[in-house]
Amino acid sequence: MAKKRKISGSCNMANRNKRIKKEEEVQSQNTGGMVVDTYTSQLPELVINQIFSHLSTKSAIRASILSKEWASVCSSVLILDIDEDEGKKQSADHRDRRRKFLKFLSNCLKIREKEKYLEKFRLRMSYFGGDCAINKSLSFALERNVKELDICFKRENEVRKGRYYCLQQTALNNAKSLTILKLEYLKIEEDSIDTISLPSLKTLSLKAVKFMTNTGFSRLYSGCPSIEYLSLTSCHGWDVRLSSLGLKHLEILCCEIKLKVEATNLESFKFRGDNGLRHHIIDMRKNFYIASCQTLRSLEFSHAHFAIGWFKGLDSRFPLLERLVLHTCFSYSGIINIFSQHLKSFVFHECGNILSNFSMTAPNLSEATITIEERRDYDRLRNFLGNFDCSKKIRLHVNETEVCIFPEEMRKKYSPPLPSLKHLEVEIDTFTTVVTHSALMDSLRWMAPSLEFLSINRIHYIYDSRIS
Amino acid sequence: MSRVFKLKSSDNETFEVEEAAALLSETIKSSSSTEITVPNVKAEILGKVVEWCNKHAESEDTKDQLIKEWDAEFVSVDQHVLFKLITAADYLQIKELVDQLTQRVGDMIKAKTLKTVEMTYPTFNVEREVQEELKSLGF
């Protein structure tokens, strides 16, 4: 039985439940067959709170009318999570919908007015002017020492034109309790006098954010000494220099910027080098620098162009590298030789010209995930696959069966690419009816003669129970 | 030399867990002994928790797409098992696992409340409900 809690407005729950019952000509106390309720009462309070903190405000309101217990949990979970898109569209007129949404937002704030603290405030809506309501909700959250702030102004099809909400830096100046800040599609108006200070901020995520000056981001970043996780998406024109010692995870996606990373305690780095919008690869040759980093464990590149020799000395620059991802990358007609002692996981997704100029020596590789989307020169494919023979496990993902069917003449002439491989998982997107299952099996058996485990689209063909 | 921990379920089955996986649990971390009994948690459930720890000890980067897929499958269990897993993970203080499980329950509650409210209270309207609430609070 859950402990009784003293909560402001708890008597209103009883009133509210009575009222709804009258309106609906009532119903029994049960939660409509929702067995979940009997389980939640057996869990510790903190855990129940955690469960309910994942609910949006609208879901929480619905949950509240279904059970007294849930109603009291919902009112003690100090979260406001309001998304304009949630729920059925009440009316066809978008102006009417907007008005109703702003009214709902304002009402939600009023209900929580007496609360002194707020854990999380998330707002997602489209921007059509009407700063007043937004400013009010922001100050409401910040006055209550909110820890997580997530403001997203959604855009249709990520169009960059259109008005941007302007967030005053001064609004954030005293946010000492803020640990997570996520902003999307807005402008930040910097204060020329005061520098911003967010001493507790650990996670910063900016998407399509604009500053008034070129140094805006740098100044914001330098006011965040505790930052551990930074993500920048579709931010352009900045000079991003990151040398803080606390930074552990960095993501730079679709940004046209100058990037210099000297954060020597970095553990993971994810980079996407295309423009998102026009699918054109950003030329980062002169503007991309990442220092050698003794702590880096995971490197992920997608849609990036590599300068010749970028991978040289990978092992000495990133001695702890365990995971490497190359997704749709290109090399300026250079040869890629990757040598890595600690590499455990390698993910490769269809990379154009790299296939022919690629070699990898990773003696401790546990898992290699290879995705090939085009039918290739089988000779090149054989050479490429040979790089992963030492791996404990290979997952091969192809779009059509033909990719895996090595021609018979080839099989007679050449030795298999994966003589030592024991574990192979194959995923095929479209099974072409022309190819027989036995032709596929023949080719795979030639490719990896020592297989002890084989599965094709999650169906096991060989399974040796000795292997764990 | 990594230590091996022994976890005992309430029905007396013992699971051997390597140090890296075992230390994902705060309870184990702060325990002075390498033999821990987990009360009220049967072998079937404890085994699953151990499986999660082993998987997560292998790969430290929780933002890895492959692990995310594995995790998503891991939590897609029937609610009966889900709640038992939460109890076990909470006792063992494995923050990341509790987070994933509670997120899953949250998602289930979200979906179910939507359906149930639509069925049981068909004229229910969230916006109007909030207005009524305000009125009763005296606004």
Side-chain angles (χ1 to χ4, degrees), chain A residues 159-173:
Chain A
V159 176
R160 275 193 249 171
K161 291 191 183 150
R163 299 154 72 185
Y164 276 65
Y165 170 74
C166 198
L167 172 65
Q168 300 292 323
Q169 182 202 291
T170 45
L172 293 176
N173 272 352

Side-chain angles (χ1 to χ4, degrees), chain A residues 12 16 24 50 59 395, chain B residues 66 99 110 123 129 133 137:
Chain A
N12 292 309
R16 181 214 255 158
E24 299 289 349
Q50 200 173 340
S59 294
R395 277 165 144 218
Chain B
L66 294 172
D99 278 347
K110 206 166 170 173
T123 60
E129 175 61 25
E133 172 87 20
L137 286 173

Side-chain angles (χ1 to χ4, degrees), chain A residues 69-291:
Chain A
E69 220 164 64
W70 285 7
S72 65
V73 178
C74 286
S75 62
S76 66
V77 168
L78 302 168
I79 287 182
L80 276 172
D81 181 338
I82 300 170
D83 187 334
E84 196 182 25
D85 280 343
E86 199 185 342
K88 290 182 276 193
K89 304 256 184 269
Q90 300 287 338
S91 68
D93 177 12
H94 75 88
R95 238 172 278 176
D96 187 42
R97 264 187 272 142
R98 160 141 294 255
R99 201 177 38 83
K100 286 197 171 137
F101 173 74
L102 291 175
K103 183 106 185 78
F104 174 69
L105 174 61
S106 155
N107 286 345
C108 287
L109 295 182
K110 280 198 195 127
I111 291 186
R112 294 291 195 165
E113 218 167 65
K114 297 222 174 90
E115 305 285 3
K116 284 197 196 144
Y117 296 102
L118 200 60
E119 287 277 327
K120 170 176 163 181
F121 181 64
R122 177 178 171 257
L123 178 62
R124 188 174 172 273
M125 56 187 280
S126 17
Y127 182 64
F128 288 114
D131 285 23
C132 191
I134 303 168
N135 292 343
K136 228 168 83 176
S137 23
L138 270 175
S139 14
F140 179 93
L142 291 164
E143 274 158 23
R144 285 160 181 77
N145 296 319
V146 71
K147 289 194 189 141
E148 183 175 340
L149 189 61
D150 184 345
I151 312 283
C152 166
F153 291 106
K154 62 186 179 88
R155 292 265 158 145
E156 291 300 321
N157 304 318
E158 308 205 5
V159 176
R160 275 193 249 171
K161 291 191 183 150
R163 299 154 72 185
Y164 276 65
Y165 170 74
C166 198
L167 172 65
Q168 300 292 323
Q169 182 202 291
T170 45
L172 293 176
N173 272 352
N174 288 315
K176 297 202 171 69
S177 52
L178 207 57
T179 53
I180 300 177
L181 180 61
K182 295 184 187 171
L183 302 172
E184 196 172 318
Y185 275 106
L186 48 73
K187 252 192 194 147
I188 297 183
E189 183 154 326
E190 307 136 62
D191 187 337
S192 48
I193 307 166
D194 286 330
T195 43
I196 193 169
S197 164
L198 297 171
S200 320
L201 198 70
K202 283 198 175 154
T203 298
L204 178 62
S205 168
L206 303 177
K207 178 171 173 180
V209 168
K210 295 185 179 179
F211 286 89
M212 298 307 209
T213 65
N214 284 340
T215 51
F217 172 74
S218 312
R219 287 200 286 152
L220 169 60
Y221 186 73
S222 50
C224 307
S226 315
I227 215 169
E228 287 178 12
Y229 176 88
L230 175 65
S231 168
L232 301 179
T233 308
S234 302
C235 296
H236 306 293
W238 302 350
D239 190 349
V240 177
R241 275 179 217 207
L242 303 168
S243 53
S244 70
L245 295 174
L247 195 63
K248 288 195 187 145
H249 302 281
L250 176 62
E251 264 185 26
I252 309 275
L253 311 173
C254 309
C255 298
E256 296 208 49
I257 52 173
K258 274 193 192 161
L259 181 63
K260 197 168 183 186
V261 183
E262 286 165 315
T264 45
N265 287 327
L266 207 57
E267 287 174 18
S268 81
F269 178 54
K270 180 172 174 181
F271 179 82
R272 181 169 170 152
D274 71 340
N275 198 311
L277 266 184
R278 280 170 288 157
H279 298 293
H280 113 93
I281 309 273
I282 300 167
D283 189 347
M284 294 285 286
R285 263 182 293 194
K286 291 183 189 148
N287 294 329
F288 180 89
Y289 172 79
I290 171 166

Side-chain angles (χ1 to χ4, degrees), chain B residues 14-29:
Chain B
T14 308
F15 293 86
E16 289 199 359
V17 190
E18 298 248 339
E19 190 164 8
L23 294 184
L24 291 174
S25 153
E26 286 297 324
T27 310
I28 296 180
K29 230 181 183 171

Side-chain angles (χ1 to χ4, degrees), chain A residues 291-304:
Chain A
S292 43
C293 177
Q294 303 300 305
T295 50
L296 198 75
R297 288 212 175 97
S298 165
L299 261 183
E300 196 171 324
F301 290 104
S302 113
H303 300 81

Side-chain angles (χ1 to χ4, degrees), chain B residues 3-8 15-39 46 49-50 53-54 88-95:
Chain B
R3 290 181 290 168
V4 170
F5 289 78
K6 295 205 173 120
L7 294 182
K8 204 162 158 198
F15 293 86
E16 289 199 359
V17 190
E18 298 248 339
E19 190 164 8
L23 294 184
L24 291 174
S25 153
E26 286 297 324
T27 310
I28 296 180
K29 230 181 183 171
S30 49
S31 158
S32 45
S33 140
T34 55
E35 294 198 11
I36 295 109
T37 311
V38 188
L46 189 56
V49 175
V50 169
C53 291
N54 284 333
D90 181 54
Y91 179 86
L92 290 169
Q93 291 284 290
I94 306 172
K95 186 179 180 298

Side-chain angles (χ1 to χ4, degrees), chain A residues 262-466:
Chain A
E262 286 165 315
T264 45
N265 287 327
L266 207 57
E267 287 174 18
S268 81
F269 178 54
K270 180 172 174 181
F271 179 82
R272 181 169 170 152
D274 71 340
N275 198 311
L277 266 184
R278 280 170 288 157
H279 298 293
H280 113 93
I281 309 273
I282 300 167
D283 189 347
M284 294 285 286
R285 263 182 293 194
K286 291 183 189 148
N287 294 329
F288 180 89
Y289 172 79
I290 171 166
S292 43
C293 177
Q294 303 300 305
T295 50
L296 198 75
R297 288 212 175 97
S298 165
L299 261 183
E300 196 171 324
F301 290 104
S302 113
H303 300 81
H305 248 138
F306 286 104
I308 294 172
W310 194 88
F311 287 95
K312 275 200 191 133
L314 201 69
D315 223 21
S316 55
R317 282 152 67 204
F318 310 112
L320 291 188
L321 193 65
E322 283 179 7
R323 178 176 173 262
L324 177 63
V325 177
L326 297 178
H327 189 306
T328 319
C329 293
F330 301 88
S331 147
Y332 288 105
S333 31
I335 297 174
I336 296 187
N337 284 330
I338 298 177
F339 182 88
S340 175
Q341 270 302 335
H342 289 95
L343 200 66
K344 287 197 188 141
S345 159
F346 179 63
V347 179
F348 179 93
H349 188 118
E350 190 59 55
C351 290
N353 65 347
I354 284 188
L355 218 59
S356 38
N357 298 326
F358 183 93
S359 82
M360 171 175 271
T361 313
N364 287 311
L365 202 62
S366 294
E367 190 171 293
T369 305
I370 317 281
T371 304
I372 311 262
E373 276 167 6
E374 271 177 43
R375 212 180 309 187
R376 294 258 154 227
D377 173 343
Y378 288 103
D379 202 29
R380 281 188 188 165
L381 181 59
R382 183 181 150 269
N383 286 331
F384 179 72
L385 288 176
N387 285 304
F388 310 106
D389 188 38
C390 55
S391 176
K392 293 202 184 96
K393 172 168 145 181
I394 293 185
R395 277 165 144 218
L396 181 61
H397 184 170
V398 298
N399 60 332
E400 41 171 28
T401 338
E402 274 83 346
V403 180
C404 302
I405 315 268
F406 283 84
E408 262 199 69
E409 317 82 61
M410 185 170 201
R411 285 188 243 157
K412 286 183 192 151
K413 257 211 269 180
Y414 295 100
S415 54
L418 303 164
S420 337
L421 186 69
K422 299 249 170 33
H423 184 129
L424 177 65
E425 288 172 29
V426 181
E427 298 252 356
I428 303 177
D429 288 342
T430 39
F431 262 98
T432 33
T433 47
V434 183
V435 176
T436 61
H437 181 76
S438 60
L440 175 61
M441 291 299 280
D442 282 345
S443 178
L444 290 176
R445 285 216 169 91
W446 167 81
M447 244 170 63
S450 313
L451 274 188
E452 284 173 16
F453 178 99
L454 171 67
S455 77
I456 302 178
N457 289 5
R458 310 264 168 114
I459 301 169
H460 300 317
Y461 286 92
I462 307 170
Y463 182 66
D464 187 335
S465 54
R466 284 172 292 165

